[in-house]
Amino acid sequence: MTSPLTPTFVATDIDQIKDATGILAIFVPEAGTLDATARRVNRLTRGAVARLVESDSFEKMAEGKASMLAYPVNVAAEGVIVVKLSRRPDMGVARKAGAMIAKLADGKETHVLCGNLRRAEEVALGLALRVYDFNDHFTKDATDPGAVTFMVNDPDAATKAAEANGAIADGVFFTRDLVNEPANILTTTEFANRLDELSKLGLKVKILEEDELTKLGMGSLLCVGQGSDSPSKVVVMEWMGGDKADQPFALVGKGVVFDTGGISLKPAGGMEDMTMDMGGAGVVAGVMKTLATRKAKTNVVGLVGLVENMPSGNAVRPGDVVTSMKGDTIEVINTDAEGRLVLADVLWYAQETYNPIGMINLATLTGAIIIGLGHENAGVFSNNDALANAFLKAANAEEEGAWRMPMGKAYDDQLKSRVADMKNVGGRPAGSITAAQFLERFVKPETPWCHLDIAGVASLKTESDFAPKGATGWGVRALNRLIADNFEGE
């Protein structure tokens, strides 16, 4: 699978610049003043850097953006990337600058000449995230990106600062790989096997098979996968890096490895994108990998329900009534509203088993959230203002778009059923909200809870700041920060 690029940090040596190969990247603040490193490169380019910096185009350029000078500084070097960035940039701008370098360098060997720039480790993270390319299924051998070297004043300090960011990149890449993988490769069994491999990092991984799920009474989850040859599973990942007496925080993910819609069959056009309907489970897996890699001093449990939603002679039908682990009965009105059926049982199991201090579930749950928020923001639904605000603060800090949506009894009333305790859909109006209301029925009142509908942000048809087309890894950074800032000891 794809591995994050790991930049190397070395001490600044201006004399080595003239012998550098590949691409050089330098930073110039908004004022346009060249530091010693930039001045050296300017001399090697016979003033080309100064001419660019003094131009109207550079003056109008936003901070964090860059231009490529196709001007060789020596026989081996191919060009210079000039990045507009203040010496003490904001974290987000620094990361975007790194992503811009990666995009312009296009996989070539790169030397990033930091000079007296602060936040070199954040530039490195942005660069590493943007280098990602999912190429596992091309028949031609993939070309690995060229080495990236950062010249900094204190390489030891920069290397140490970059370690935590390296763990974040590991988690984001793991999530992207899972979400990008085709469904004939990432079956429920293969998904579970990949999560089981995380035990090598110190996670305790438990896989619950169908016979165990039946004994637990997970009729809501099991009905979704009963039409598929792939067995339904629940995978539990425990990271207990905090005090043994502390309640864990719980992350719950929807893992529908492929969603045809079941008997309520989706239109053929675009159905190939439903390989990403396990995006919630992918984010949970990525966060758990990040926490384990950086040895987080906290207790977190990640739980994912893995199913495939297929039409067959054994598939659940519209009008069927199933019984959840909680004991509530559900009239299945639409078999394409299957993610909430999976999450209902996993949410209840998480609370019954771990009594978590708080709980967040993630799911590519509704197309309605895309109508409401587009591809810029995930929908945030919650029963607890403190947890919702803490998550929104973390998402904002990481520049992962999120927007809180309303909930209320009037929406909940749309789930009333004539033949069961509830039905699994509430109609077209407020579809993402009624989906959240359904989930809240399986959350104990005393459990702080958020539901994140990530249907619009998990995978994109266009490139974004930190990712090419396809899986984004949205949520790994925000959830890692939420846990670090609110649930982690010193």
Side-chain angles (χ1 to χ4, degrees):
M1 305 305 292
T2 315
S3 297
L5 178 72
T6 303
T8 301
F9 295 90
V10 301
T12 301
D13 187 341
I14 294 178
D15 292 334
Q16 289 183 0
I17 294 174
K18 67 180 188 304
D19 299 318
T21 56
I23 302 294
L24 302 182
I26 62 173
F27 301 93
V28 178
E30 190 167 354
T33 303
L34 304 184
D35 64 12
T37 304
R39 289 197 298 271
R40 182 59 180 270
V41 175
N42 183 53
R43 287 195 296 272
L44 292 169
T45 60
R46 300 184 180 182
V49 170
R51 288 192 292 274
L52 171 65
V53 170
E54 293 165 3
S55 68
D56 290 340
S57 61
F58 188 85
E59 182 179 353
K60 295 176 182 177
M61 186 186 297
E63 187 178 12
K65 298 295 184 180
S67 289
M68 170 74 86
L69 286 174
Y71 196 113
V73 299
N74 56 45
V75 175
E78 301 176 43
V80 178
I81 297 172
V82 181
V83 186
K84 187 175 185 178
L85 196 68
S86 65
R87 293 189 179 92
R88 296 176 180 269
D90 292 335
M91 181 188 74
V93 176
R95 290 179 180 178
K96 288 178 181 178
M100 181 62 69
I101 293 170
K103 183 176 180 179
L104 293 177
D106 195 25
K108 297 182 176 67
E109 178 185 1
T110 306
H111 296 267
V112 183
L113 313 177
C114 293
N116 56 9
L117 177 75
R118 300 293 180 92
R119 294 192 181 274
E121 74 279 1
E122 302 298 348
V123 176
L125 176 60
L127 189 152
L129 292 174
R130 190 60 181 81
V131 164
Y132 176 89
D133 184 26
F134 187 75
N135 50 31
D136 287 12
H137 303 297
F138 288 102
T139 54
K140 294 181 180 179
D141 290 338
T143 302
D144 292 331
V148 176
T149 302
F150 277 73
M151 282 191 178
V152 296
N153 293 341
D154 189 343
D156 291 338
T159 299
K160 185 176 181 180
E163 286 179 359
N165 283 351
I168 294 171
D170 279 336
V172 171
F173 273 49
F174 190 53
T175 296
R176 289 178 182 175
D177 281 344
L178 290 169
V179 175
N180 279 326
E181 198 72 89
N184 62 320
I185 303 297
L186 194 72
T187 61
T188 57
T189 298
E190 173 61 15
F191 201 152
N193 289 342
R194 293 191 188 184
L195 299 186
D196 195 38
E197 287 288 306
L198 295 178
S199 61
K200 295 176 182 178
L201 297 174
L203 286 163
K204 181 180 178 182
V205 182
K206 178 169 58 177
I207 301 173
L208 304 179
E209 303 291 353
E210 285 188 346
D211 57 344
E212 296 171 89
L213 303 180
T214 300
K215 290 179 182 178
L216 287 166
M218 290 194 182
S220 182
L221 180 149
L222 287 168
C223 82
V224 176
Q226 70 188 43
S228 172
D229 290 339
S230 291
S232 298
K233 303 171 186 282
V234 170
V235 181
V236 182
M237 298 161 280
E238 296 179 1
W239 175 255
M240 299 300 177
D243 191 306
K244 291 182 179 179
D246 289 345
Q247 296 170 255
F249 192 85
L251 299 173
V252 176
K254 168 191 171 184
V256 180
V257 296
F258 193 77
D259 182 20
T260 65
I263 298 300
S264 305
L265 194 67
K266 292 178 181 291
M271 193 191 290
E272 69 276 6
D273 293 334
M274 288 299 99
T275 56
M276 52 75 75
D277 210 23
M278 38 58 63
V283 175
V284 171
V287 175
M288 297 306 294
K289 184 172 186 179
T290 291
L291 296 176
T293 301
R294 69 177 182 82
K295 306 300 180 187
K297 295 179 181 179
T298 188
N299 298 335
V300 179
V301 58
L303 308 96
V304 297
L306 306 181
V307 301
E308 184 177 40
N309 188 21
M310 298 286 281
S312 75
N314 196 44
V316 66
R317 296 156 292 218
D320 284 359
V321 175
V322 299
T323 303
S324 68
M325 181 182 174
K326 180 185 176 185
D328 288 350
T329 56
I330 305 165
E331 181 187 8
V332 179
I333 299 296
N334 187 330
T335 66
D336 193 25
E338 84 299 332
R340 65 201 70 181
L341 297 173
V342 173
L343 289 171
D345 279 341
V346 184
L347 287 167
W348 196 253
Y349 176 84
Q351 294 165 97
E352 290 286 280
T353 307
Y354 295 99
N355 187 27
I357 192 172
M359 182 168 63
I360 291 180
N361 73 256
L362 300 97
T364 50
L365 204 64
T366 67
I369 201 66
I370 304 176
I371 301 302
L373 298 178
H375 298 283
E376 303 302 316
N377 291 282
V380 180
F381 304 81
S382 184
N383 67 354
N384 185 278
D385 289 343
L387 180 59
N389 291 338
F391 174 76
L392 290 167
K393 181 179 178 181
N396 182 63
E398 293 291 333
E399 297 189 9
E400 293 196 304
W403 192 263
R404 190 168 182 184
M405 301 288 285
M407 298 182 71
K409 184 180 182 302
Y411 298 113
D412 197 73
D413 287 345
Q414 294 177 227
L415 298 173
K416 289 181 179 178
S417 167
R418 181 181 61 84
V419 297
D421 294 328
M422 71 194 80
K423 55 186 180 181
N424 74 323
V425 293
R428 287 180 61 84
S432 63
I433 302 175
T434 54
Q437 294 289 163
F438 179 93
L439 295 178
E440 190 182 28
R441 292 184 175 215
F442 299 90
V443 177
K444 298 179 181 181
E446 66 270 20
T447 303
W449 161 78
C450 281
H451 156 54
L452 307 180
D453 193 337
I454 63 172
V457 295
S459 184
L460 303 178
K461 294 184 180 298
T462 58
E463 65 178 24
S464 57
D465 286 335
F466 298 111
K469 297 177 183 179
T472 63
W474 182 99
V476 173
R477 293 174 3 235
L479 287 168
N480 175 69
R481 177 174 286 272
L482 171 75
I483 292 166
D485 290 350
N486 298 276
F487 302 101
E488 193 163 353
E490 295 295 332

